[in-house]
Amino acid sequence: MEKARAQWDNPLQFVFACISFAVGLGNIWRFPYLCQKYGGGSFLVPYIIMLFVEGMPLMYLELAVGQRMRQGSVGTWRTISPYLCGIGIASMVVAFFVSTYYNIINAWGFWYLFHSFQDPLPWSVCPLNANHTGYNEECDKASSTQYFWYRKTLHISPSIQENGGVQWEPALCLILAWLMVYLCILRGTESTGKVVYFTTLMPYSVLLIYLIRGLTLHGATNGLVYMFTPRIELLANPRTWINAATQIFFSLGLGFGSLIAFASYNDPTNNCQRHAIIVSLINSSTSIFASVVTFSIYGFKATFNYENCLNKVILLLTNSFDLEDGSVTASNLEQVKDYLASTYPGRYGELLPSIKNCSLESELDTAVQGTGLAFIVYTEAIKNMEVSQLWSVLYFFMLLLLGVGSMLGNTAAILTPLTDSKVLSTHLPKEVISGLVCLSSCAIGMVFTTEAGSYWFDIFNDYSATLSVLLIVLVEIVAVCYVYGLRRFESDLRATMGRALHWYWKAMWAFVSPLLIIGLFAFYVSDYILTGTLQYQAWDATQGQLVTKDYPQFALAIIGLLVITSIACIPLGALGTLIMHRFKRGGSAPVA
């Protein structure tokens, strides 16, 4: 007798699992960057539109398909048509790629969390040089937070060609990160269902605490005003709309197979339409909420740096021209500078190279995303807060929970099809399969702990999923609407959920969403072609800053393999099915 499929204890567990997977680091470190770069408050217009024409419909599609077929991604698409098994395999490959590099972020989170208990924080000051006569040269040219990130955490090499060896500190943190993930997924939905309560609710608690603290910081309003001030003219920029669509698409985790896997453990009568709407709205609301937190802190950092710059200039002028203490203030600084330039042109000219041009606008205008925001900008702000150790612990604890929540979804996308496979599940228990997946991912992930590891991280982050997931979801839509049949699928949903499919969902699935994905896919392909030689940001220790370099040929080959490996699964799956049935049935092809 076939074993009954595991189920969530209740619908709330399923909703929390989806939220924990969808609400991740991208909500914290990418949406605020996009909002700042593409129009401030006006960016919310294309973002909300894309939520309703792309994000919400496609999330409902994946949840409905997974719940209807009650299998992982491979089994789901094979049930619709044997020729479509490659869609599920492609999703598994992408999820595996993402899992291998995503967990290194959790490893870095552990590293910073462990160092957050030190007083003072190790990234708050530059170390002394070997002679103890001044600060370390690299740190002095950059900043203490940049130095700790690039030199103490990454041990970064000057280029991707200089790979170096595995660094034992991040390697141990990576092993710890994978051990934590393994314990969370050990018994499938039984263990994951309990963990998601914590990985979902706790980050919101920390964000709320940070919001209260952020709004009370000096200069917080400067950051919020800068972020939400609408720049309507940027709505005419196509990249604004493209980035809004892309952010919605990847923030919800479409195409990875995770949502299909989670929904497959639902009761067939579950109202997944309502859950798709709830998760989509919570995910987007979290992005806006996180932006308020981020830019209140960003405003504090910018204001602190701006006022610090002013104080240095005032001190320099006061000492150089023997001015009375307190006679030069921030309000009259420009008038004093004009007076000194006209009265003492010679002396002022000699001093001019040392006089910095302080600008709050320029401090606020440094758009940063990704690891730069998480591990440099945030730590720069945290080190200047009172009781900085407490805020550092809270922040990196929150990052860990967000990262683990996303990893639960990534690993579910891999493990569900594997445990659904009778070949594997009859020979290996679920715990062993989970362990082998975690072990292999951890072993491959060791490349990200080398001196060139951050460069490989950028390659995987930029190229392992973007084009592949767009194509996967496009084929998913075609499979449901035009292979399985939209009317047939509507009939299935009516039979299980007891309600007719609204015209809105049918219009989005059949026409609007696929056309939008085709447009996104065409944009990214043309953008890669027009860009020419792909480039990356390398750390130059002699200058204490990032410099742009071209990717070498072997790196370009790896990028090509990352894209092709997953995409090729779709046609190869169909070809393999055709060949197998030709041999088995003496020339007759399978029926879709």
Side-chain angles (χ1 to χ4, degrees):
M1 183 176 178
E2 189 173 339
K3 187 179 179 181
R5 188 171 187 80
Q7 288 192 15
W8 302 106
D9 290 346
N10 53 70
L12 190 62
Q13 270 192 0
F14 165 67
V15 172
F16 274 25
C18 291
I19 294 172
S20 183
F21 168 62
V23 176
L25 298 173
N27 299 75
I28 305 294
W29 70 23
R30 180 157 172 79
F31 179 82
Y33 162 81
L34 293 175
C35 203
Q36 177 191 13
K37 189 174 181 180
Y38 292 105
S42 55
F43 180 74
L44 296 177
V45 174
Y47 181 76
I48 292 172
I49 290 174
M50 291 302 171
L51 170 65
F52 285 96
V53 301
E54 176 199 34
M56 201 177 289
L58 295 181
M59 184 168 208
Y60 180 30
L61 178 71
E62 290 206 347
L63 294 184
V65 167
Q67 183 171 301
R68 167 66 183 85
M69 303 303 172
R70 293 183 60 75
Q71 296 183 72
S73 55
V74 177
T76 290
W77 301 112
R78 184 188 286 122
T79 301
I80 289 178
S81 171
Y83 290 114
L84 297 176
C85 65
I87 303 176
I89 298 171
S91 294
M92 282 182 64
V93 171
V94 171
F96 182 74
F97 285 159
V98 172
S99 293
T100 55
Y101 82 82
Y102 199 94
N103 218 21
I104 190 64
I105 303 172
N106 291 330
W108 293 331
F110 270 123
W111 172 256
Y112 270 82
L113 180 63
F114 295 152
H115 284 82
S116 296
F117 294 96
Q118 296 183 23
D119 186 19
L121 292 173
W123 55 82
S124 62
V125 292
C126 284
L128 297 175
N129 58 26
N131 299 325
H132 294 273
T133 56
Y135 290 121
N136 176 280
E137 184 179 359
E138 180 184 0
C139 185
D140 200 34
K141 288 181 177 179
S143 68
S144 58
T145 51
Q146 287 179 311
Y147 178 80
F148 187 83
W149 170 242
Y150 288 112
R151 187 56 51 214
K152 295 297 184 180
T153 303
L154 301 179
H155 305 279
I156 197 165
S157 63
S159 70
I160 195 171
Q161 289 97 324
E162 301 172 55
N163 205 48
V166 171
Q167 307 298 307
W168 69 269
E169 300 102 326
L172 288 177
C173 290
L174 181 62
I175 293 171
L176 179 60
W178 272 111
L179 180 61
M180 181 171 63
V181 170
Y182 176 67
L183 293 176
C184 292
I185 64 173
L186 183 61
R187 303 191 62 81
T189 55
E190 186 180 333
S191 54
T192 302
K194 305 296 188 298
V195 173
V196 292
Y197 287 118
F198 190 67
T199 59
T200 302
L201 295 175
M202 193 62 191
Y204 284 102
S205 303
V206 177
L207 275 176
L208 182 61
I209 294 170
Y210 252 95
L211 176 66
I212 296 170
R213 178 60 181 133
L215 293 177
T216 61
L217 291 171
H218 174 58
T221 53
N222 292 329
L224 295 176
V225 169
Y226 181 82
M227 176 189 168
F228 287 109
T229 300
R231 286 165 282 167
I232 305 298
E233 67 279 2
L234 285 176
L235 290 178
N237 184 352
R239 285 185 176 269
T240 302
W241 295 82
I242 288 165
N243 278 283
T246 305
Q247 175 62 17
I248 283 288
F249 194 94
F250 290 103
S251 179
L252 290 173
L254 303 170
F256 290 89
S258 305
L259 297 174
I260 293 175
F262 284 152
S264 71
Y265 300 112
N266 272 341
D267 185 281
T269 61
N270 178 65
N271 188 354
C272 60
Q273 172 185 304
R274 180 175 61 193
H275 292 157
I277 295 171
I278 291 172
V279 173
S280 300
L281 291 176
I282 288 177
N283 178 69
S284 296
S285 301
T286 303
S287 294
I288 298 171
F289 177 42
S291 295
V292 174
V293 176
T294 297
F295 273 87
S296 64
I297 293 172
Y298 202 57
F300 162 70
K301 170 189 167 294
T303 304
F304 183 90
N305 290 343
Y306 168 65
E307 293 179 350
N308 192 39
C309 176
L310 288 178
N311 292 333
K312 287 181 179 179
V313 172
I314 290 171
L315 182 62
L316 178 65
L317 295 178
T318 302
N319 292 338
S320 300
F321 293 94
D322 295 325
L323 302 176
E324 184 179 345
D325 288 342
S327 61
V328 185
T329 62
S331 59
N332 68 3
L333 178 59
E334 292 303 317
Q335 291 89 336
V336 171
K337 286 165 68 175
D338 291 340
Y339 168 77
L340 294 175
S342 59
T343 309
Y344 309 101
R347 289 172 61 189
Y348 190 84
E350 293 175 3
L351 202 64
L352 189 60
S354 302
I355 300 176
K356 294 182 179 180
N357 184 23
C358 304
S359 169
L360 179 60
E361 185 75 14
S362 63
E363 289 287 347
L364 288 167
D365 202 28
T366 51
V368 179
Q369 65 170 325
T371 53
L373 177 62
F375 296 105
I376 297 177
V377 173
Y378 255 96
T379 54
E380 181 76 29
I382 288 171
K383 76 173 188 180
N384 296 317
M385 294 181 185
E386 295 179 5
V387 201
S388 55
Q389 288 78 16
L390 172 63
W391 298 111
S392 185
V393 168
L394 281 175
Y395 172 67
F396 289 110
F397 182 59
M398 178 190 70
L399 277 193
L400 274 173
L401 292 178
L402 290 172
V404 170
S406 296
M407 282 299 299
L408 296 181
N410 289 330
T411 51
I414 305 167
L415 291 171
T416 301
L418 293 178
T419 52
D420 284 348
S421 169
K422 293 181 180 179
V423 176
L424 280 177
S425 58
T426 54
H427 293 89
L428 295 173
K430 185 183 299 181
E431 294 82 358
V432 174
I433 297 174
S434 301
L436 290 174
V437 169
C438 291
L439 187 63
S440 58
S441 299
C442 183
I444 296 173
M446 285 297 164
V447 71
F448 305 114
T449 67
T450 63
E451 293 179 8
S454 66
Y455 304 135
W456 290 111
F457 170 85
D458 289 336
I459 285 177
F460 273 70
N461 188 41
D462 293 339
Y463 302 106
S464 67
T466 307
L467 288 176
S468 307
V469 170
L470 286 173
L471 187 61
I472 288 169
V473 175
L474 178 61
V475 179
E476 286 181 355
I477 297 171
V478 172
V480 172
C481 295
Y482 302 104
V483 177
Y484 191 77
L486 187 54
R487 288 184 179 178
R488 181 182 173 190
F489 190 58
E490 179 184 8
S491 176
D492 290 346
L493 295 181
R494 185 187 293 113
T496 54
M497 292 196 296
R499 64 177 64 202
L501 191 64
H502 194 271
W503 65 264
Y504 161 74
W505 302 112
K506 291 188 280 188
M508 294 300 109
W509 291 348
F511 304 109
V512 179
S513 294
L515 289 175
L516 184 60
I517 292 174
I518 291 171
L520 286 173
F521 189 83
F523 167 78
Y524 278 109
V525 170
S526 61
D527 191 50
Y528 289 147
I529 294 172
L530 294 175
T531 299
T533 304
L534 299 179
Q535 297 179 318
Y536 69 103
Q537 297 287 302
W539 180 253
D540 189 333
T542 60
Q543 300 181 53
Q545 64 181 22
L546 294 168
V547 294
T548 302
K549 293 185 177 183
D550 292 339
Y551 276 120
Q553 290 299 316
F554 72 87
L556 294 175
I558 296 296
I559 290 172
L561 281 173
L562 285 175
V563 176
I564 293 171
T565 302
S566 53
I567 290 178
C569 291
I570 299 175
L572 289 178
L575 180 62
T577 301
L578 179 63
I579 292 172
M580 286 176 62
H581 280 80
R582 289 288 183 186
F583 278 112
K584 286 182 178 180
R585 301 183 182 180
S588 61
V591 179

